[in-house]
Amino acid sequence: MDLTNIFIIAMTIVAIVLAVSEVLKNTFKINTQYMPITSVVIGIFIGLVFWPLSEYPVYVMLIAGFIAGLTASGTFDLLKAAKKEGEL
């Protein structure tokens, strides 16, 4: 197991984390300052959900979910900053 496999798994989870966090934000009116931690928690949860479907140990899926949550929150912040500047 090398770090490349963890990043590949994380990149597949990022899109799901982005979608779920946007749905939760709009449904429950979550403040945008709490979105990074929400994305990390969602990423870890999705990593746990996908664990039985993979051949990797649970800690690998937790790390991949954590990385996916951090990546999704960074993407969310970048999109929010671009909208604020009027680029999108």
Side-chain angles (χ1 to χ4, degrees):
M1 168 61 59
D2 60 4
L3 201 54
T4 306
N5 291 342
I6 295 174
F7 285 135
I8 290 171
I9 295 167
M11 290 304 110
T12 59
I13 296 175
V14 167
I16 299 168
V17 172
L18 276 171
V20 171
S21 63
E22 275 297 312
V23 168
L24 287 178
K25 183 183 100 175
N26 292 332
T27 303
F28 296 111
K29 305 295 185 218
I30 298 174
N31 194 348
T32 56
Q33 71 182 14
Y34 300 118
M35 286 311 295
I37 190 70
T38 304
S39 295
V40 169
V41 170
I42 292 169
I44 292 171
F45 178 74
I46 291 175
L48 280 175
V49 169
F50 284 164
W51 168 59
L53 303 174
S54 71
E55 72 245 10
Y56 300 112
V58 68
Y59 70 90
V60 171
M61 295 305 289
L62 287 174
I63 293 171
F66 181 75
I67 293 170
L70 289 176
T71 304
S73 67
T75 306
F76 174 78
D77 290 338
L78 285 174
L79 290 176
K80 185 175 73 172
K83 278 185 181 179
K84 187 180 284 187
E85 292 178 9
E87 292 177 10
L88 289 177

